[in-house]
Amino acid sequence: MKKFALSLAFIALIFTSCSSDDTEETVKTPVTGEITGDLTVSKTYAFGNYTLKGFAKVASGVTITFEAGSTITADPSNGEDAFVILNGGKLIAVGTATEPIVFTATTKTAGSWGGIIMYGDAPIVNSATAAAPQTATSEDGLVLPYGGSNAAHNGGTLKFVRVEYAGQVITQNNKEQNGFSFYSVGSGTILENLVSYKGNDDGFEFYGGTVSLKNAISYGNSDDAFDWQDGWRGQESTNWYAYQEGAANYGMEIEAKGVNNAFFPKVTNITLKRAAGTVTEAQTEIQLDAIQFKAEGNGDYSNILIDGYKNQTTPTTKNGGVLQIRDITTYNNQVVGGKIKLTNVTINNSDNIFISGATTFTVTAASFSPAANWGVTTTATGASLTAGNWSTVNGASLIK
């Protein structure tokens, strides 16, 4: 009886092994569809290829989900496009390193569409005299209010998402969009492993809020790689990688709308690289810095690797620098006042360390108070990112 039972078990094992070996891997077939207009009902978009037409707006109380590997393609031939998450709405776009979710454009040209725009009601500051909570009006052409008192606002989860060819500029300095635009987005929102690729404005821009950004690549964007205003105060941001080429402004542009805040953002593990021959986007300004502080911008930054911010000789002569302090108020209140901290900074292939934005002050290492707020080393490693399909375009890795 025991022998018979053992024989049955052995036969079952053989058939199980054969069945496992003969099983073919399931190949998913992408669906197709169109996304447009006001999205007023929660929906999951299955793995597929979708055409984005116009401003698709996720309404308050609605959750829109995209499955991993999906591609959403803007078609600018039909007018202005963007994917907008209104305050109270949520976007769940969770890709993987091998199957990212990609938002792109048919034209493959910078500035073809408006990118991802998210609204919340987390705190902002744009006035030194107005009482909290403060609000402002968006500069994306939608002219929507943002700001509030909900620091934990949750606009959803974005992981392994790449935005390509965004940064639509309709009216310079008035109606502009970026790769990712975060208007008073709160700390309940998860932003991880995001790529902004070859846009015509900023890669990532924060308009106040408390959200943090982890594992981010800003590659080939025409304005700033990372930019913020309105007192953005994310505390857990890490692993930021910027590569600037062609025409570009700052690696990081930091401002706080002229308000001397008691709070500040914190970012660790930063790499800012500028390709040889890269010129400034706006030739009328000194915009060749890895990092620029202005209008009371401040913050705590550490483990920073900076490479390639050299002097520009053509089409006009400009100084290249690691750090520019734009105005005397920022110099006095934030640098001397001890609210700008940059530690473990390694500088390669850059002509100047400091640039003063006015003749009324001179930035030096001795300007920082306490002295430990500025620290140059040779050991900074910068951003630590894992390569994969999420960070690869046309077969080329974006992590250089």
Side-chain angles (χ1 to χ4, degrees):
M1 187 70 180
K2 289 183 179 178
K3 290 182 179 180
F4 180 69
L6 288 171
S7 298
L8 288 176
F10 181 69
I11 292 170
L13 177 62
I14 292 174
F15 277 100
T16 301
S17 300
C18 292
S19 176
S20 175
D21 291 341
D22 293 341
T23 300
E24 295 183 4
E25 183 179 348
T26 301
V27 177
K28 295 187 294 184
T29 301
V31 300
T32 59
E34 182 178 296
I35 302 171
T36 188
D38 296 334
L39 306 178
T40 58
V41 178
S42 295
K43 179 178 180 177
T44 294
Y45 288 89
F47 163 69
N49 300 315
Y50 299 93
T51 299
L52 176 64
K53 292 186 177 180
F55 277 67
K57 301 175 185 175
V58 182
S60 179
V62 173
T63 298
I64 296 298
T65 302
F66 288 104
E67 290 189 348
S70 295
T71 299
I72 300 90
T73 304
D75 184 0
S77 67
N78 296 296
E80 299 171 9
D81 304 308
F83 194 88
V84 183
I85 304 95
L86 298 175
N87 183 25
K90 288 185 180 180
L91 172 61
I92 308 298
V94 180
T96 68
T98 55
E99 291 186 300
I101 296 170
V102 179
F103 289 77
T104 188
T106 56
T107 56
K108 307 299 181 185
T109 303
S112 294
W113 68 295
I116 292 177
I117 304 170
M118 181 180 288
Y119 285 87
D121 54 357
I124 71 168
V125 172
N126 57 19
S127 170
T129 57
Q134 296 184 20
T135 60
T137 302
S138 66
E139 62 179 37
D140 54 7
L142 296 174
V143 197
L144 294 176
Y146 64 96
S149 57
N150 181 17
H153 157 264
N154 182 352
T157 299
L158 280 66
K159 292 184 176 181
F160 295 103
V161 175
R162 186 167 71 243
V163 169
E164 303 175 345
Y165 311 112
Q168 186 172 241
V169 178
I170 297 99
T171 306
Q172 193 74 33
N173 298 322
N174 183 35
K175 189 177 178 182
E176 302 178 354
Q177 294 136 7
N178 308 289
F180 293 86
S181 302
F182 299 112
Y183 285 95
S184 58
V185 174
S187 61
T189 309
I190 297 174
L191 306 176
E192 296 180 5
N193 296 89
L194 306 184
V195 177
S196 182
Y197 177 79
K198 290 196 174 181
N200 195 44
D201 208 285
D202 301 323
F204 298 85
E205 183 154 7
F206 300 92
Y207 300 85
T210 55
V211 70
S212 294
L213 172 63
K214 300 178 180 180
N215 309 328
I217 298 173
S218 180
Y219 188 101
N221 293 293
S222 295
D223 196 350
D224 310 313
F226 301 94
D227 187 0
W228 59 92
Q229 54 182 284
D230 296 319
W232 174 64
R233 61 190 86 174
Q235 289 292 296
E236 298 179 1
S237 295
T238 189
N239 290 326
W240 287 10
Y241 182 96
Y243 186 81
Q244 297 181 289
E245 62 177 4
N249 294 336
Y250 305 111
M252 293 164 53
E253 184 179 35
I254 302 165
E255 65 168 299
K257 284 293 180 69
V259 182
N260 186 11
N261 298 309
F263 52 81
F264 52 84
K266 183 176 182 179
V267 187
T268 61
N269 308 334
I270 303 166
T271 296
L272 305 175
K273 290 188 175 183
R274 193 173 181 93
T278 302
V279 300
T280 57
E281 181 193 41
Q283 294 301 316
T284 57
E285 297 187 57
I286 300 175
Q287 293 186 317
L288 232 175
D289 313 313
I291 305 173
Q292 186 206 70
F293 291 90
K294 65 179 182 180
E296 302 277 25
N298 58 19
D300 183 344
Y301 312 92
S302 60
N303 189 26
I304 308 165
L305 179 61
I306 295 173
D307 190 312
Y309 289 82
K310 299 184 69 64
N311 295 338
Q312 175 181 303
T313 57
T314 59
T316 56
T317 300
K318 296 185 183 298
N319 290 329
V322 170
L323 175 65
Q324 180 183 173
I325 307 299
R326 191 64 177 268
D327 56 89
I328 192 169
T329 305
T330 302
Y331 176 80
N332 287 334
N333 292 341
Q334 308 303 323
V335 179
V336 180
K339 296 182 180 181
I340 292 177
K341 184 177 183 180
L342 301 118
T343 56
N344 193 19
V345 182
T346 294
I347 302 167
N348 297 324
N349 194 33
S350 300
D351 289 326
N352 304 288
I353 296 180
F354 301 114
I355 293 179
S356 302
T359 58
T360 52
F361 65 96
T362 301
V363 185
T364 67
S367 302
F368 289 83
S369 178
N373 276 7
W374 172 257
V376 177
T377 70
T378 59
T379 58
T381 55
S384 177
L385 298 168
T386 302
N389 291 343
W390 76 284
S391 59
T392 301
V393 179
N394 299 324
S397 174
L398 306 182
I399 306 172
K400 295 182 178 294

